[in-house]
Amino acid sequence: MTITFVGHGYVGLVTACIFADFGNKVWVIGHTKEKIERLKKADPIIYEPGLKELLEKNLRANRILFTLDYNKAIPESDIVFIAVGTPPKEDGDADLSSLFEVTKKIGQHLKKGKTVVSCKSTVPVGTNKKIEIILRESKPKSAQAQVASCPEFLREGSAIYDTLNPDRVVIGSDSKTAIATLIELHQPIDGKRVITDLASAEIIKYTSNAMLATKISFANLIAFYCEKSGADVENVLDAVGMDKRIGRVFMDPGVGYGGSCLPKDVKALIKIGQTLQIDPAFLIAVENINQQIREGFLHKILTNAKEKHITIWGLSFKPNTDDIRDAPSSYIIARLLGKKFTISVYDPAGRENTKKLFGNALTYHNNPYTAVRNASALVILTEWNEFKQADLKKVKTLMKKPLIFDGRNIFHPEMVKKLGFQYFSVGRKPV
Ligand code: UDX
């Protein structure tokens, strides 16, 4: 098949490379010349394990092509995927302006008899119906567009694996042809198929991300209960999670959820609720707990770090990505700088993006050990494996004070205590 992706972020680029790898001809349309030139030279722009190699391979085989020109890609495509960002507006609502803009351009360039236009961007209920209208109004008379919603569930850091091994492939459409075409395209991919209507597909995506955020906030709420009552949240959640009806995955307490999806999608679902006159109090609580857990952790640092030169390990919103969008680190760093802390930072991938945000206000290190030299406290905000395996004896000799604030519970309190550290974590007694 010939496929076009409009958008080359985590969803667009990863999925485009995978469909190209299956032997399809894949066009990727962007709107910035400099980025398209970088992509043509096998620079994926984003950091995602395995993506550069996959891109290189498919560029060499001429199966993936990058362009700014809709006219090159759209007319010959069997399927066009819309994979542009839907960032939150001030009021939490999803900003659909670029999505509608590209939809109009797609419509204007449709030539073939029938093209499936499938939305991969996360969009509020009813958006695909609007896409249908825009296409109908912008396309030439001879062209036909069938709209489908094909939400994406990949996680940053394991995007290639997730795309190849999804738990489910959701296809929502009123068109039998669109459904059949998308089923055929997804043939080489594992996972159950869920064939449904447009509105259900749209709401499945928001529900999934809101449920994940709910699990995390619930774990963090219980962490507060444990802290106040002297219990150990890890033991509590391990035991609770043994109940198969509940499970333990995505219940890791810490400094809360960040990234480009969970915070934005909870906000958007709150807004959708308000529009539909449904009380979204439950989701507002999920969001509030995420904020409270960051504040609670910050409070621990402010009340227990007597000196103000600290080191932060972990800037990206989670391991295996350089993405710092809505990362707990950005919030915590800004607050600590406001309290006149001097901060040294280390992250295996998130340094450059953090630099764009904080510039010279921080001291950046290429190595976790040089970063802790003379620090009066070490603050851990992302659970990179490199930190879990760190030589803490060495860390202790380098630091001015053996004090750790662990926002991801990566160490066992007794082990760290034995090494002579004072140790604060989340939902567990300080030692
Ligand atoms: C998420 C969804 O998982 C994915 O299905 C969807 O397609 C896009 O949004 P992603 O944003 O890449 O993926 O990150 P995810 O792995 O979900 O983690 C989100 C945040 O939650 C991170 O900040 C992570 O540190 C935090 N988290 C995750 C916890 O605090 N505790 C957990 O138990 C799990």
Side-chain angles (χ1 to χ4, degrees):
M1 285 191 204
T2 301
I3 307 166
T4 292
F5 278 84
V6 184
H8 46 68
Y10 286 92
V11 171
L13 187 59
V14 171
T15 326
C17 285
I18 285 172
F19 284 137
D21 210 47
F22 291 155
N24 299 291
K25 177 179 177 185
V26 180
W27 284 100
V28 178
I29 301 180
H31 71 275
T32 317
K33 189 165 188 290
E34 181 243 328
K35 287 188 180 170
I36 288 295
E37 291 311 315
R38 281 172 68 185
L39 288 159
K40 281 182 183 169
K41 289 181 193 132
D43 171 0
I45 304 170
I46 49 172
Y47 171 85
E48 180 62 38
L51 185 57
K52 189 172 172 56
E53 294 76 9
L54 197 62
L55 177 58
E56 261 164 7
K57 180 181 166 205
N58 286 285
L59 275 168
R60 266 200 310 274
N62 275 328
R63 285 191 296 256
I64 192 160
L65 301 140
F66 294 92
T67 184
L68 295 163
D69 186 358
Y70 282 67
N71 203 33
K72 275 190 181 160
I74 306 293
E76 67 163 2
S77 290
D78 302 292
I79 307 173
V80 178
F81 283 106
I82 301 174
V84 296
T86 52
K89 293 196 279 197
E90 285 270 301
D91 63 355
D93 211 357
D95 182 352
L96 301 175
S97 51
S98 47
L99 183 120
F100 290 147
E101 209 174 292
V102 306
T103 305
K104 193 171 166 194
K105 283 194 199 154
I106 293 168
Q108 288 163 345
H109 291 88
L110 287 173
K111 276 234 173 73
K112 259 193 158 178
K114 282 178 187 165
T115 312
V116 175
V117 177
S118 174
C119 184
K120 274 213 171 280
S121 306
T122 305
V123 292
V125 192
T127 305
N128 276 284
K129 285 285 176 200
K130 289 186 190 151
I131 290 178
E132 240 166 27
I133 296 169
I134 296 172
L135 290 173
R136 203 181 309 133
E137 287 171 353
S138 55
K139 73 177 181 57
K141 276 207 176 79
S142 57
Q144 273 188 46
Q146 279 134 351
V147 172
S149 166
C150 209
E152 186 52 62
F153 301 96
L154 60 81
R155 291 164 298 176
E156 289 180 26
S158 55
I160 294 174
Y161 177 86
D162 288 354
T163 308
L164 290 169
N165 305 278
D167 292 327
R168 74 296 206 196
V169 173
V170 176
I171 301 171
S173 183
D174 303 332
S175 153
K176 285 198 176 115
T177 322
I179 292 169
T181 311
L182 287 166
I183 288 178
E184 191 188 331
L185 176 71
H186 286 85
Q187 208 98 52
I189 289 178
D190 265 0
K192 293 193 175 121
R193 270 45 176 169
V194 179
I195 310 301
T196 184
D197 56 276
L198 282 174
S200 302
E202 288 167 335
I203 246 185
I204 285 168
K205 177 62 198 264
Y206 278 113
T207 308
S208 298
N209 276 356
M211 186 66 215
L212 294 172
T214 300
K215 290 188 86 174
I216 298 166
S217 278
F218 188 74
N220 284 331
L221 176 67
I222 298 306
F224 279 133
Y225 278 80
C226 291
E227 279 180 13
K228 296 271 180 197
S229 57
D232 180 316
V233 74
E234 299 292 344
N235 289 341
V236 169
L237 292 174
D238 282 349
V240 171
M242 282 170 197
D243 185 328
K244 289 192 186 65
R245 295 170 302 172
I246 300 171
R248 179 66 165 89
V249 279
F250 250 76
M251 296 262 276
D252 289 329
V255 277
Y257 60 81
S260 67
C261 292
L262 265 46
K264 149 180 102 63
D265 291 349
V266 172
K267 274 193 176 51
L269 201 55
I270 291 170
K271 192 73 193 159
I272 294 168
Q274 286 160 345
T275 312
L276 299 174
Q277 297 187 338
I278 298 159
D279 181 1
F282 178 85
L283 295 169
I284 292 171
V286 168
E287 211 180 28
N288 286 344
I289 293 165
N290 201 48
Q291 183 58 21
Q292 285 159 15
I293 202 81
R294 287 181 187 185
E295 283 296 334
F297 187 69
L298 201 57
H299 181 75
K300 277 179 207 161
I301 302 173
L302 294 176
T303 47
N304 294 292
K306 301 290 176 232
E307 290 177 44
K308 290 197 166 179
H309 175 60
I310 60 156
T311 296
I312 291 181
W313 279 0
L315 301 167
S316 55
F317 81 97
K318 66 171 192 178
N320 301 319
T321 177
D322 65 348
D323 197 341
I324 60 153
R325 283 176 288 176
D326 229 322
S329 69
S330 314
Y331 180 81
I332 288 169
I333 288 172
R335 290 290 306 274
L336 290 173
L337 287 174
K339 298 275 178 196
K340 306 277 180 265
F341 275 76
T342 59
I343 308 174
S344 291
V345 296
Y346 171 72
D347 187 278
R351 169 189 166 136
E352 290 312 312
N353 284 331
T354 305
K355 244 186 190 168
K356 286 180 204 153
L357 206 61
F358 291 103
N360 294 334
L362 307 174
T363 309
Y364 302 89
H365 290 264
N366 289 324
N367 173 302
Y369 299 103
T370 57
V372 293
R373 190 165 289 144
N374 286 327
S376 53
L378 167 63
V379 176
I380 300 167
L381 298 179
T382 316
E383 68 279 27
W384 286 89
N385 279 341
E386 191 177 338
F387 304 154
K388 293 181 186 168
Q389 291 154 7
D391 179 349
L392 288 183
K393 278 188 190 150
K394 184 171 168 184
V395 168
K396 189 173 171 236
T397 61
L398 291 166
M399 289 179 71
K400 192 170 171 202
K401 283 219 158 101
L403 172 61
I404 297 178
F405 297 94
D406 180 357
R408 295 291 179 185
N409 287 1
I410 65 173
F411 298 125
H412 197 282
E414 286 310 315
M415 182 275 283
V416 196
K417 186 182 164 187
K418 245 189 214 156
L419 291 173
F421 284 94
Q422 197 185 359
Y423 179 69
F424 293 85
S425 54
V426 179
R428 303 183 295 187
K429 278 186 214 146
V431 289

